[in-house]
Amino acid sequence: MALSRKLVQQRSSVFGSRSMSWWRSVEPAPKDPILGVTEAFLADPSPDKVNVGVGAYRDDNGKPVVLECVREAERRIAGNLNMEYLPMGGSVKKVEETLKLAYGENSEHIKDKRIAAVQALSGTGACRLFADFQKRFRPESQIYIPVPTWANHHNIWRDAHVPQKTFHYYHPETKGLDFAGLVDDIKNAPNGSFFLLHACAHNPTGVDPSEEQWKEISKLIKEKGHFPFFDMAYQGFASGDPERDAKAIRIFLEDGHLIGIAQSYAKNMGLYGQRVGCLSMLCEDEKQAVAVKSQLQMLARPMYSNPPVHGALIVSTILGDQELKTLWLKEVKGMADRIIGMRTALRENLEKLGSPLSWEHITNQIGMFCYSGMTPEQVDRLTNEFHIYMTRNGRISMAGVTTGNVGYLANAIHEVTKST
Ligand code: LMR
C-alpha cells in the first residue's frame, strides 16, 4: 500500500513536472506596434483620450462607421442567406467584381481568364497567401520591402520564411519620396527579385510616386525582370476615386508585367472585421492561371479551408448592383474628403499656434495617414501627458481626427515639438 502511494507520487511528480515544463520557455510576445496602441487606448480611462493609432475610419464624432450601402446590402441579403461553405477559392461573384476594380471594368486579362484569383482573409490574408506561394514555388527568392512599410508586412514574409531585403522609399528630410534611392535599389537588386509595392495611399507615409514616377518604376522593374507585388489596402482613400487609385496597377499592366495584387475591403467598404479581400495573380495564359489558382487553394485548405461567407455576400451585392455601387463610390469619396479636410484643419491649427516647424507635409501626404516626423520620444509624451495614442513611428491616422479633437491634438503636438 505504502509502495503504491509512493509510485503514485512519483508518477504525478513526473507527469506534473512534464506538463509544467511544456511552455516554461515561452516568453510573452512583444505588443503589436499598431494593434497594441488600440489596447492601450481602450485601457485609458481619461475622458480626453484620442486614438489616432489604428488605420480605421471614424466619423466626425469619432465613431466607427457602417456604410449605408453595406446596411442596404445586409437588408437585401437577410433571410436569403444560407451558411454553407464557400468553395476553397471563395465566392466566384465576389472575386469577379473585385478583379474589375483592380484590373479595370473591361480588362482583357479578365476576359482572357489569365488571372488566378481567390478570396482571401482581407489584405493580411492575401499577402500571407502570396508569401506562402512565393516560398513554395520560388524557394530561392527574396522579397524587397519599402522603408518604411506597414509593420505587419515584415511579420508576414518572416512567417512564410521568405528572406527580406529593403529598398529606399521615404526621405525623412523632404518628408516625400526618395525616388533616387528607390531607383538605385531597383537597379541594384539581383534580376528577378520580388518587389512589394503599395498601390496607393502608402502606409505609413502617405507618400505615393507620381504618375510619371510610376511609369519609370514600371520600366525599370520590367528591365530587371523583377516581380511586382502590389498591396492595395486603400483603394479609394488616396483620391476619393477607386478607379483613379488603380492607376499604378494599370501602368504596370500596360507595360505587360505579370503581377500579383492583394486587395482588401476593410477600409474602403468599412468591412474591417469581416476579413474580406482577394489575392490575384496575372498569369501567362488561362492554363497557367488554372494551375496557380489550384495551388493557392491548396495553400488555403490546411490553414482555414475556405473564407467566410458574409462579407463576400455584402461585397458582391453592392458591386453587382449599379445603384448600390454608385452609393458606395459616393461614400468612399465622402470618407476621403473628410480626411482631406482634417489634414487642412490640423495644419492650420499648428500654424496658428506659431509652430516653428513646417507642417506642409500634412497636406502634401495622402490617404489615411500622416507621417508626422515626430520621434518615438515625442509620441511617448503625447501619450503620457495628453492621452493621445498613435504608433511610435510618428504616424497619425488622420481618420481618427475630428473637428472636436483637432484643436486639442494640434496643441499637444505643438507642446511636444516646439523646442526641437
Ligand atoms: C493599420 O495599418 O493601422 C491597419 O492596416 C490595421 C492593421 O491591421 O495594422
Side-chain angles (χ1 to χ4, degrees):
M1 187 64 183
L3 186 68
S4 70
R5 194 175 300 136
K6 202 170 168 203
L7 259 177
V8 168
Q9 274 168 358
Q10 274 174 355
R11 270 196 185 170
S12 68
S13 80
V14 167
F15 285 122
S17 68
R18 193 185 287 164
S19 59
M20 290 272 293
S21 70
W22 281 351
W23 314 122
R24 197 174 285 157
S25 64
V26 178
E27 300 284 345
K31 287 246 182 263
D32 184 84
I34 299 174
L35 302 183
V37 173
T38 307
E39 285 170 26
F41 169 80
L42 292 173
D44 184 342
S46 167
D48 299 329
K49 67 181 178 178
V50 173
N51 189 2
V52 284
V54 70
Y57 185 77
R58 301 285 177 256
D59 67 14
D60 203 37
N61 297 313
K63 297 276 177 286
V65 173
V66 179
L67 297 186
E68 200 39 56
C69 60
V70 171
R71 293 251 187 251
E72 179 54 27
E74 289 207 300
R75 278 191 282 273
R76 292 189 192 178
I77 60 186
N80 200 9
L81 179 69
N82 68 50
M83 303 287 169
E84 288 298 296
Y85 294 125
L86 283 176
M88 283 181 283
S91 151
V92 173
K93 182 137 190 291
K94 183 245 145 203
V95 169
E96 268 172 23
E97 293 297 337
T98 305
L99 294 183
K100 287 187 206 160
L101 290 179
Y103 295 80
E105 186 76 32
N106 300 310
S107 156
E108 286 300 313
H109 303 317
I110 298 178
K111 280 194 204 113
D112 294 344
K113 300 192 165 69
R114 279 179 55 196
I115 306 171
V118 295
Q119 186 181 324
L121 304 186
S122 210
T124 308
C127 286
R128 180 60 195 269
L129 211 49
F130 179 77
D132 283 340
F133 184 87
Q134 182 187 344
K135 181 69 191 172
R136 181 163 293 179
F137 294 100
R138 302 298 297 216
E140 76 295 349
S141 69
Q142 305 171 333
I143 181 99
Y144 279 75
I145 292 184
V147 179
T149 194
W150 177 49
N152 209 24
H153 281 146
H154 294 290
N155 305 334
I156 289 169
W157 270 270
R158 177 202 62 208
D159 282 6
H161 306 286
V162 176
Q164 299 174 33
K165 287 268 167 70
T166 55
F167 67 89
H168 286 87
Y169 188 85
Y170 177 79
H171 203 300
E173 267 149 47
T174 63
K175 298 194 171 60
L177 188 69
D178 180 359
F179 189 59
L182 184 155
V183 162
D184 275 351
D185 290 342
I186 293 175
K187 284 184 181 161
N188 294 332
N191 290 358
S193 298
F194 285 73
F195 270 76
L196 169 64
L197 302 165
H198 296 226
C200 60
H202 183 273
N203 177 8
T205 66
V207 172
D208 284 356
S210 67
E211 200 174 318
E212 285 315 305
Q213 287 168 331
W214 273 125
K215 286 186 177 154
E216 185 67 18
I217 295 169
S218 167
K219 195 175 119 260
L220 288 172
I221 288 192
K222 190 87 195 286
E223 275 167 20
K224 292 283 298 180
H226 297 326
F227 185 93
F229 180 74
F230 289 95
D231 187 353
M232 185 155 62
Y234 292 88
Q235 188 176 10
F237 270 94
S239 68
D241 174 9
E243 184 61 21
R244 265 178 72 187
D245 286 1
K247 189 72 205 167
I249 287 177
R250 306 293 167 75
I251 289 171
F252 276 68
L253 292 175
E254 269 167 36
D255 287 350
H257 289 272
L258 297 183
I259 62 174
I261 312 178
Q263 288 171 263
S264 161
Y265 290 104
K267 327 284 175 173
N268 61 13
M269 241 179 233
L271 294 176
Y272 303 93
Q274 295 291 347
R275 311 314 291 147
V276 53
C278 181
L279 169 64
S280 63
M281 291 169 63
L282 177 60
C283 299
E284 273 161 15
D285 53 29
E286 184 180 351
K287 185 163 167 261
Q288 190 177 85
V290 169
V292 169
K293 181 177 173 186
S294 71
Q295 292 292 351
L296 291 173
Q297 294 182 160
M298 190 68 104
L299 282 164
R301 174 66 167 144
M303 279 199 284
Y304 54 85
S305 282
N306 37 56
V309 66
H310 190 71
L313 212 49
I314 293 173
V315 171
S316 54
T317 304
I318 293 172
L319 297 181
D321 178 286
Q322 203 41 55
E323 188 197 335
L324 281 185
K325 187 172 175 187
T326 307
L327 176 58
W328 172 60
L329 292 172
K330 194 169 144 241
E331 293 190 278
V332 173
K333 171 105 178 56
M335 291 192 283
D337 284 350
R338 195 189 82 70
I339 292 177
I340 291 168
M342 285 303 116
R343 286 184 182 277
T344 310
L346 182 59
R347 180 177 163 186
E348 281 177 1
N349 271 274
L350 280 158
E351 286 167 356
K352 261 193 236 137
L353 286 163
S355 173
L357 304 173
S358 165
W359 295 101
E360 219 181 301
H361 56 287
I362 298 180
T363 48
N364 287 345
Q365 296 171 353
I366 55 171
M368 212 181 245
F369 303 111
C370 162
Y371 207 49
S372 69
M374 282 187 281
T375 62
E377 293 70 32
Q378 289 169 336
V379 172
D380 289 345
R381 278 192 65 198
L382 284 181
T383 305
N384 299 335
E385 295 171 32
F386 298 94
H387 305 273
I388 292 169
Y389 289 83
M390 55 190 273
T391 54
R392 290 188 83 230
N393 60 2
R395 184 188 83 166
I396 301 171
S397 173
M398 294 305 301
V401 185
T402 66
T403 42
N405 67 26
V406 68
Y408 179 74
L409 178 64
N411 185 57
I413 293 175
H414 180 52
E415 282 304 316
V416 304
T417 56
K418 64 186 177 190
S419 58
T420 46

